[in-house]
């Protein structure tokens, strides 16, 4: 895609986003509670957390739609909210809820945003063609957006966010509500963004999405980051190499959980099972069950208490 001009050179080229002590209240609800976060340039960074963890509120503060009550935020070297417009000019945003003008054609949607982002007239056709190609929508360019499937509309939202070749792309729950096949198609698009060298900040509550796509993950719960690292690092630290699932009745599992706690063994709820973490270190005294490789889901549930269906 064409190269968009910078609004201003940034002094720190290693950090795309920095939040320090950020707090946001909605009445008595504390949506974000002293959030510290740094997103390195050129990475795909995931905000992983259950619904209500503060992910979308964080995204809205980064785009200037919501103002923090306390703390400091900077995006691409611009202080927010004072320089929100300068930051927005250099980022692309794909919101959680679709706000497409569905009466326009796919091409027209992209052309409107090319003008809004002040893409030079000589570059607009090339920028639109590149966005269509990246999103795989070239054959649907003249169709009204209303005729696209949900997955295609999601791809159009991402293409729209990329029309000005932004340095930073914010994806707020980019595959929410989509079926698994369409979700994997969008994963390919996000991988293409990484390969282009863009910095990507993606919020999600899909564990597999974070584990497959991100270089670095911050797990959020109740408005705070409770753990941070690469998926591999988080699994190794909090879950180990192997996990051990034991089926049983609620009463049996509660008794097992109590014994595990007394023995200093880490466990997590797993629907109708109890999962022992770091099972490879156990001395062979674990109840009869099934051994498997530890996953990021083990970490997520252990830290947030939220079971993933």
């Amino acid at each position: 895609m064409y190269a968009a001009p910078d609004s201003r050179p940034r002094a720190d080229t290693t950090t795309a986003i920095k939040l320090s002590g950020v707090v946001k209240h909605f009445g008595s609800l504390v949506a974000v509670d002293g959030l510290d976060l740094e997103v390195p340039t050129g990475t795909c960074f995931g905000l992983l957390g259950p619904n209500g963890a503060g992910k979308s509120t964080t995204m809205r503060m980064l785009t200037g739609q919501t103002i923090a009550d306390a703390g400091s935020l900077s995006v691409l070297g611009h202080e927010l909210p004072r320089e929100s417009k300068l930051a927005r000019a250099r980022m692309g945003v794909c919101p959680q809820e679709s706000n497409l003008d569905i009466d326009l054609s796919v091409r027209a949607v992209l052309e409107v945003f090319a003008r809004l982002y002040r893409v030079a007239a000589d570059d607009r056709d090339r920028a639109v063609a590149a966005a269509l190609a990246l999103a795989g929508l070239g054959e649907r360019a003249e169709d009204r957006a209303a005729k696209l499937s949900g997955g295609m509309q999601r791809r159009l939202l991402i293409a729209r966010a990329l029309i000005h070749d932004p340095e930073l792309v914010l994806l707020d729950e980019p595959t929410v509500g989509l079926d698994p096949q369409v979700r994997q198609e969008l994963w390919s698009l996000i991988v293409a963004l990484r390969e282009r060298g863009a910095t990507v900040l993606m919020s999600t509550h899909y564990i597999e999405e974070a584990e497959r796509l991100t270089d670095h993950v911050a797990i959020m719960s109740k408005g705070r980051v409770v753990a941070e690292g690469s998926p591999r690092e988080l699994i190794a630290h909090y879950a180990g190499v192997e996990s051990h699932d034991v089926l049983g009745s609620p009463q049996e599992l509660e008794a097992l959980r109590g014994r595990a706690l007394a023995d200093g063994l880490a466990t997590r709820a797993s629907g109708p099972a109890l999962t022992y973490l770091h099972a490879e270190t156990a001395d062979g005294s674990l109840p009869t069950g099934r051994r498997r490789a530890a996953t990021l889901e083990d970490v997520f549930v252990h830290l947030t208490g939220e079971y993933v269906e």
Side-chain angles (χ1 to χ4, degrees):
M1 297 177 74
Y2 84 103
D6 283 351
S7 301
R8 184 191 70 174
R10 64 174 186 264
D12 182 2
T13 60
T14 63
T15 303
I17 296 173
K18 184 172 183 178
L19 288 75
S20 299
V22 173
V23 176
K24 181 61 186 179
H25 296 85
F26 294 102
S28 60
L29 173 67
V30 182
V32 175
D33 188 13
L35 181 61
D36 296 318
L37 194 68
E38 287 195 29
V39 177
T41 299
T43 61
C44 183
F45 193 106
L47 289 181
L48 177 61
N51 292 329
K55 305 184 305 296
S56 290
T57 299
T58 299
M59 288 290 200
R60 288 196 293 270
M61 287 190 289
L62 291 172
T63 58
Q65 296 171 282
T66 297
I67 306 302
D69 297 321
S72 63
L73 302 87
S74 68
V75 174
L76 299 173
H78 300 290
E79 296 181 11
L80 305 185
R82 182 170 57 87
E83 298 179 307
S84 290
K85 288 185 178 180
L86 292 174
R88 279 298 299 267
R90 297 169 62 191
M91 74 170 78
V93 180
C94 178
Q96 182 177 153
E97 300 294 333
S98 175
N99 57 2
L100 289 172
D101 188 334
I102 59 174
D103 291 325
L104 294 179
S105 71
V106 170
R107 185 184 303 279
V109 167
L110 297 174
E111 289 174 342
V112 166
F113 269 72
R115 287 180 170 84
L116 286 174
Y117 277 101
R118 299 181 180 179
V119 176
D122 291 344
D123 288 321
R124 284 178 196 154
D125 288 346
R126 186 161 60 252
V128 169
L132 287 170
L134 184 64
L137 292 172
E139 294 183 358
R140 305 297 299 269
E142 309 310 325
D143 291 347
R144 289 173 59 236
K147 293 184 177 181
L148 299 181
S149 66
M152 288 183 176
Q153 287 191 8
R154 210 75 186 142
R155 297 210 309 257
L156 178 55
L157 281 169
I158 296 177
R160 190 186 70 179
L162 303 177
I163 194 64
H164 56 307
D165 198 27
E167 301 162 65
L168 171 66
V169 182
L170 304 186
L171 305 175
D172 190 6
E173 300 281 2
T175 64
V176 66
L178 300 179
D179 64 57
Q181 180 177 352
V182 175
R183 187 177 301 150
Q184 291 192 26
E185 291 175 1
L186 282 177
W187 288 355
S188 296
L189 180 53
I190 295 169
V191 168
L193 287 180
R194 292 176 58 188
E195 292 174 348
R196 282 180 49 224
T199 302
V200 179
L201 176 62
M202 177 179 68
S203 72
T204 183
H205 63 270
Y206 292 125
I207 310 298
E208 186 181 6
E209 189 163 84
E211 190 165 356
R212 285 196 180 192
L213 299 180
T214 63
D215 303 301
H216 198 90
V217 176
I219 298 179
M220 293 186 66
S221 180
K222 299 179 181 178
R224 293 184 175 184
V225 171
V226 295
E228 189 175 339
S230 72
R232 185 187 299 268
E233 290 169 344
L234 291 172
I235 293 169
H237 181 74
Y238 289 100
V241 177
E242 291 184 327
S243 294
H244 184 80
D245 299 327
V246 179
L247 293 170
S249 68
Q251 295 79 11
E252 290 170 332
L253 297 183
E254 189 59 35
L256 287 175
R257 191 196 316 272
R259 287 201 289 273
L261 182 62
D263 294 338
L265 299 176
T267 64
R268 64 97 159 175
S270 185
L274 181 70
T275 295
Y276 290 79
L277 307 178
H278 295 281
E280 73 280 0
T281 65
D283 59 4
S285 60
L286 295 181
T288 301
R290 180 178 68 93
R291 288 286 181 108
R292 58 173 175 79
T295 67
L296 190 61
E297 181 176 316
D298 291 321
V299 178
F300 179 85
V301 177
H302 176 59
L303 294 175
T304 70
E306 295 279 346
Y307 178 62
V308 181
E309 297 290 346

